[in-house]
Amino acid sequence: MYNDIRPRRLRASAAVRNLAAETAVDGRRLIMPHFVTETGPEREPIATMPGIDRVSVNELVRDVEADLKLGIFYVLLFGIPAAKDESASGAYADDGVVQRAVRAVKKRMPEVCVVTDVCLCEYMSHGHCGIVKDGRVLNDPTLELLARTAVSHAGSGADIVAPSDMMDGRVAAIRDALDGSGFIDTPILSYAAKYASAFYGPFRDAAGSAPQFGDRRSYQMDCRNAIEAEKEVMLDIDEGADIVMVKPALAYLDIIRRVREIVNVPVCAYNVSGEYSMVKAAAKLGYADERMLVTEILTGIFRAGADMVISYHTREIFREGWL
Ligand code: PBG
């Protein structure tokens, strides 16, 4: 045997493995998503996402407070409005559900960093991320509504706004509007390379945001494309994105790596609802060990190059001390 090189030496004990490990899942870079409802029960489990509830603003504050005690400082908020219409008016209403949620969280816990998802689909009667006319999703007229939504979130105290709609030019429109309203210091975390994906299935059930006709393929990216992801992130950075996101994460680890290598801003990855629910289902059936699945998946996402990860597993990771 060639006896000079024995890689197994560095694997012989947990202590040596830990010392030699190249990647660590950094709990301080995990972001916990929340679904906040304007009406309905104070707390309601989401059938397709075991362990995640839809909550009222009051219950949200309780959850964020309990999570903060565990050490979770970052939250991403999604709103589920009482009513939807053709102009997504709930998205940019002063007393909209996200606006109220942000104010409530920031008032009680200013140290929590609140990221808001800026999108219209939850607020549109047809469930698309933009204004629809003659069965088409219109790009430019949608920008104004997105910009209004972002400004309204920032005005409510959001620390970071995160546009997830995939309209062309939205980052520039949002940056202009934020600056024009005095929010020059509010960063934009852009869902830059967001793919049309079956992995969003549970989210659409959770948020009631499934498109009522067609699909999102005319605005979200095609999963066959990687070079195009470079184009999307570079465009968003040129338009003023401070952080760029790749989404989903698991089937797109190559995209995370590729983006990490070409940009000089932080890269966020979204470990989406379907990725969470698959793990939950496998664990429930006893097909695999949940803790090991979760830590391996998150390690893979960080190893691929993510600087931060949005994951529905965050609370459990902290509560169970999995890291
Ligand atoms: C809104 C939005 C979606 C997700 C985040 N923001 C759904 C979609 O694009 O259909 C998905 C998040 C997840 O699946 O966890 N546009």
Side-chain angles (χ1 to χ4, degrees):
M1 162 149 14
Y2 185 65
N3 65 1
D4 280 335
I5 301 171
R6 288 182 177 269
R8 289 188 56 194
R9 283 190 198 114
L10 293 182
R11 299 181 198 133
S13 71
V16 172
R17 286 194 296 274
N18 291 342
L19 192 66
E22 297 170 35
T23 309
V25 176
D26 187 348
R28 291 164 306 184
R29 289 166 179 261
L30 293 177
I31 303 168
M32 178 71 198
H34 295 269
F35 298 99
V36 198
T37 51
E38 194 162 16
T39 50
E42 290 285 299
R43 179 176 290 278
E44 189 181 15
I46 297 163
T48 52
M49 300 181 70
I52 306 292
D53 297 333
R54 263 185 296 260
V55 293
S56 65
V57 171
N58 286 337
E59 287 296 303
L60 169 76
V61 171
R62 279 196 199 115
D63 284 356
V64 175
E65 206 161 22
D67 288 350
L68 180 61
K69 287 198 182 112
L70 297 173
I72 302 168
F73 285 89
Y74 300 94
V75 300
L76 171 62
L77 300 187
F78 294 99
I80 305 162
K84 301 172 191 263
D85 56 32
E86 303 272 292
S87 55
S89 51
Y92 42 87
D94 251 352
D95 59 348
V97 61
V98 167
Q99 288 78 356
R100 288 197 292 115
V102 175
R103 285 195 289 263
V105 169
K106 290 302 290 186
K107 186 171 170 209
R108 208 174 161 100
M109 293 160 280
E111 68 272 46
V112 167
C113 181
V114 177
V115 186
T116 56
D117 184 85
V118 174
C119 198
L120 307 174
C121 59
E122 296 101 324
Y123 306 86
M124 287 285 198
S125 39
H126 46 66
H128 277 289
C129 304
I131 295 171
V132 169
K133 196 158 178 242
D134 303 327
R136 292 174 59 86
V137 178
L138 303 183
N139 196 88
D140 297 11
T142 299
L143 301 182
E144 194 206 321
L145 301 189
L146 292 165
R148 266 165 83 174
T149 304
V151 168
S152 162
H153 290 179
S156 305
D159 296 286
I160 301 176
V161 293
S164 67
D165 51 280
M166 288 298 278
M167 296 301 122
D168 294 331
R170 83 279 170 71
V171 174
I174 289 172
R175 186 71 270 159
D176 272 356
L178 287 172
D179 292 353
S181 305
F183 300 111
I184 52 168
D185 289 327
T186 304
I188 298 174
L189 190 181
S190 123
Y191 287 65
K194 177 175 178 178
Y195 287 86
S197 171
F199 288 100
Y200 308 150
F203 174 96
R204 291 179 190 168
D205 171 45
S209 65
Q212 299 304 300
F213 67 90
D215 54 39
R216 303 208 201 287
R217 289 178 198 278
S218 77
Y219 41 106
Q220 297 180 348
M221 285 181 60
D222 186 315
C223 69
R224 292 169 292 189
N225 296 350
I227 297 168
E228 192 189 15
E230 298 190 358
K231 172 164 113 187
E232 283 284 2
V233 298
M234 295 321 278
L235 273 172
D236 281 10
I237 292 170
D238 281 350
E239 290 178 32
D242 300 280
I243 305 172
V244 290
M245 188 198 296
V246 175
K247 173 187 178 190
L250 274 190
Y252 300 87
L253 293 174
D254 61 319
I255 308 296
I256 296 173
R257 164 58 48 197
R258 216 174 162 115
V259 168
R260 180 58 287 163
E261 279 170 3
I262 64 162
V263 303
N264 60 2
V265 299
V267 176
C268 177
Y270 199 144
N271 178 209
V272 299
S273 59
E275 298 170 346
Y276 171 84
S277 299
M278 286 197 309
V279 168
K280 284 289 165 188
K284 188 173 165 198
L285 289 166
Y287 288 176
D289 180 272
E290 187 172 4
R291 175 186 186 161
M292 281 162 50
L293 282 180
V294 170
T295 49
E296 187 171 333
I297 285 170
L298 283 167
T299 302
I301 298 171
F302 277 101
R303 192 192 59 238
D307 299 296
M308 63 192 83
V309 180
I310 301 166
S311 177
Y312 300 95
H313 296 292
T314 300
R315 178 179 297 133
E316 206 156 25
I317 289 170
F318 274 82
R319 200 170 49 205
E320 305 298 326
W322 280 350
L323 294 183

